[in-house]
Amino acid sequence: MEILINAVGGFVVEVGKFVCKCIYPKIENIVRFSSKIENLRDEMEKITKSRDYIKGKAEKAEGEGYKPKPDAIKWIEDVSELENEWETMQESIAKAKRRKYKFCPNCSLRSEVCTQVQNIRDQLCSLKEVRENFGFNLMVCIIGVFGTGGVGKTTLVKNLNNELLKTDVSSSKLSFGVVVWVTMPKPPIDIKNVQAQIVSRLNLKVDKEESVESISSKIYQRLKQEESFLLILDDVWEAINLDHIGVPKPEDPARSKQMKTYTEMKVYTLDEDESWQLFVKNAGDIANIEQIQPFAKEIAKECDGLPLAITVIGTSVIKWSFDSLESPDIELSSEQRTKHVKKRRGDIRSCFLYSSLYLAAMSTDDLIHYWWAEVFLSEHDTYEEAYNRGITMIESLVENI
């Protein structure tokens, strides 16, 4: 009998614990409803203030040319969504605070609202964790610039480098304590080669016999003295470990696995219209001459939108034509041609360069007259002979250019 009583007693105790475990939270939600709401309100005010501070800091940095980290942007958006969710609950909270009867609270509504409050609290705790993880450095620190060879990646970063070097640091929005340019060696990467370029820019004293580790330590200590620095790595073919070189870098799980960059920027090829404009800029107005333009456009099109190819071809098309100019075979004896060929070759090139200055503004007669006056057609010729030679040269130029 005693055994039975003990068993029943133990069962009652366990059931009591279970019932209390289920009922107590609900009772607590009803009794401590107001204090739970006010505590959460305080927490929401704190996180929204933090959101506003970070948002303002990010917007200011964007105005200075920096790019906020993706996780910082998402955090700001998530806090705003949580704030909206909290605001939509205010009417339900107000109703739950009212008493259903004179002394009796609306238990079911309070319980429902407290469930929503707990959900918001869980999200808030998660957002606080995220905020701590991405730290105080909200801006992108490593940018990878990629694209087809000859598309202009090096030109782009060179322009940035030159602008920063000539800008007064104190007045610049994009201010860096030091800017370092490194041309990367082809794989396999020679770490000492990279370090040597950085050491030279930083004016560090390093012995040739020092180890990579020793040089890395010196570079690290020097760069840590700067509040900010810019390191430009040009012509990167494979991932490089910045720790081995001695470059301080922030850690962030959001970086891409391949090149360990925070963000990547692709440099695209030029469209057909942009390609033609660049071609004309390099070739000169001669590319727009009616007889030349169709061929020039075909050449520009074949460059496939690559600025480097367009620039090289644009500048070399006319140079090739100039280099290939031959003296016209005018009425001179074999001996005279041998004697004067070098002089006359120079003459026709001079005629070409002269005419390029006044290409669209001068008649043929005037052009020949000026050539003669400039002694391009020989000062000993009669004007009639000079004129005939001039006509021959023009025909040669039209044929060769």
Side-chain angles (χ1 to χ4, degrees):
M1 190 68 172
E2 187 178 348
I3 295 173
L4 179 61
I5 292 172
N6 286 339
V8 171
F11 174 74
V12 170
V13 170
E14 291 302 319
V15 170
K17 286 181 179 177
F18 177 76
V19 170
C20 288
K21 194 179 289 184
C22 294
I23 294 176
Y24 180 75
K26 294 186 178 181
I27 294 173
E28 186 186 34
N29 286 341
I30 295 167
V31 174
R32 299 184 58 197
F33 178 79
S34 294
S35 62
K36 284 194 169 191
I37 294 297
E38 292 311 309
N39 287 341
L40 182 58
R41 194 183 303 282
D42 291 341
E43 292 297 317
M44 283 301 301
E45 284 181 5
K46 287 178 184 177
I47 201 166
T48 52
K49 281 182 181 178
S50 180
R51 184 271 319 273
D52 293 342
Y53 169 77
I54 291 171
K55 187 178 179 181
K57 191 175 179 182
E59 287 174 350
K60 181 176 182 293
E62 276 190 294
E64 295 175 352
Y66 295 91
K67 185 175 180 180
K69 291 183 186 177
D71 55 352
I73 295 172
K74 187 176 187 307
W75 187 85
I76 292 170
E77 293 171 350
D78 289 344
V79 173
S80 297
E81 286 181 15
L82 189 64
E83 183 184 31
N84 291 337
E85 190 177 337
W86 170 247
E87 289 301 323
T88 58
M89 283 183 59
Q90 297 310 303
E91 189 176 344
S92 299
I93 290 171
K95 285 182 180 179
K97 281 185 175 182
R98 299 190 200 109
R99 298 192 176 272
K100 195 171 185 181
Y101 301 105
K102 190 172 183 180
F103 299 104
C104 182
N106 190 332
C107 298
S108 61
L109 182 56
R110 285 194 176 191
S111 180
E112 182 184 331
V113 170
C114 279
T115 301
Q116 294 175 330
V117 164
Q118 187 58 47
N119 179 46
I120 288 182
R121 187 180 294 280
D122 291 342
Q123 292 183 63
L124 192 146
C125 289
S126 177
L127 286 170
K128 285 169 73 175
E129 269 185 44
V130 172
R131 171 65 185 90
E132 289 170 4
N133 286 337
F134 66 64
F136 292 95
N137 189 356
L138 308 175
M139 301 303 116
V140 169
C141 297
I142 304 176
I143 301 174
V145 181
F146 68 102
T148 309
V151 79
K153 303 182 294 298
T154 297
T155 301
L156 177 66
V157 291
K158 266 186 179 176
N159 287 338
L160 172 63
N161 177 67
N162 294 340
E163 283 298 315
L164 291 173
L165 289 177
K166 73 180 183 183
T167 305
D168 179 14
V169 172
S170 61
S171 63
S172 173
K173 290 184 176 180
L174 288 173
S175 58
F176 295 96
V178 63
V179 179
V180 182
W181 176 285
V182 174
T183 300
M184 296 297 293
K186 292 290 186 292
I189 295 173
D190 181 356
I191 297 295
K192 274 206 168 184
N193 179 305
V194 177
Q195 289 180 325
Q197 295 180 64
I198 298 174
V199 164
S200 175
R201 177 66 184 86
L202 298 177
N203 296 318
L204 290 176
K205 291 184 178 180
V206 173
D207 293 331
K208 292 182 180 180
E209 303 304 318
E210 282 192 60
S211 66
V212 167
E213 291 74 20
S214 175
I215 299 172
S216 173
S217 177
K218 288 185 177 181
I219 292 173
Y220 183 86
Q221 294 302 326
R222 172 63 183 84
L223 290 176
K224 286 294 280 185
Q225 295 174 16
E226 301 292 340
E227 288 187 15
S228 63
F229 64 88
L230 176 64
L231 172 65
I232 300 174
L233 303 178
D234 182 45
D235 204 20
V236 177
W237 286 82
E238 64 179 31
I240 181 169
N241 191 326
L242 296 178
D243 292 327
H244 290 172
I245 298 172
V247 178
K249 62 176 178 30
E251 293 298 328
D252 194 300
R255 290 177 294 170
S256 73
K257 293 180 181 177
Q258 184 181 0
M259 292 302 293
K260 297 186 178 180
T261 55
Y262 286 102
T263 189
E264 293 183 349
M265 182 181 76
K266 183 173 183 179
V267 181
Y268 293 92
T269 54
L270 303 178
D271 61 31
E272 193 170 332
D273 183 55
E274 291 170 331
S275 297
W276 174 242
Q277 289 180 26
L278 182 60
F279 187 88
V280 172
K281 181 180 178 182
N282 285 280
D285 291 336
I286 194 169
N288 279 313
I289 294 177
E290 186 178 353
Q291 299 92 329
I292 295 176
Q293 191 183 75
F295 302 103
K297 283 196 171 183
E298 280 299 314
I299 294 171
K301 192 175 180 181
E302 286 297 317
C303 293
D304 205 24
L306 294 172
L308 180 60
I310 294 167
T311 301
V312 171
I313 298 298
T315 52
S316 64
V317 163
I318 303 304
K319 185 179 184 303
W320 179 85
S321 299
F322 176 80
D323 290 342
S324 64
L325 285 176
E326 297 288 346
S327 275
D329 189 16
I330 54 180
E331 293 180 1
L332 288 175
S333 67
S334 177
E335 184 181 345
Q336 287 175 316
R337 283 200 298 272
T338 303
K339 184 178 179 180
H340 298 289
V341 66
K342 290 183 180 179
K343 183 177 185 299
R344 292 186 5 299
R345 180 179 176 86
D347 287 345
I348 194 170
R349 287 180 176 178
S350 299
C351 289
F352 167 74
L353 293 174
Y354 192 93
S355 61
S356 66
L357 298 175
Y358 307 98
L359 199 57
M362 193 175 294
S363 68
T364 300
D365 288 351
D366 287 341
L367 185 60
I368 293 174
H369 177 79
Y370 284 116
W371 281 354
W372 189 43
E374 293 287 348
V375 201
F376 296 154
L377 303 177
S378 175
E379 58 183 338
H380 301 296
D381 293 334
T382 64
Y383 183 74
E384 184 179 359
E385 290 173 337
Y387 185 86
N388 291 333
R389 180 178 292 180
I391 292 294
T392 305
M393 282 194 173
I394 289 174
E395 289 174 351
S396 179
L397 287 172
V398 170
E399 182 180 341
N400 285 280
I401 299 301

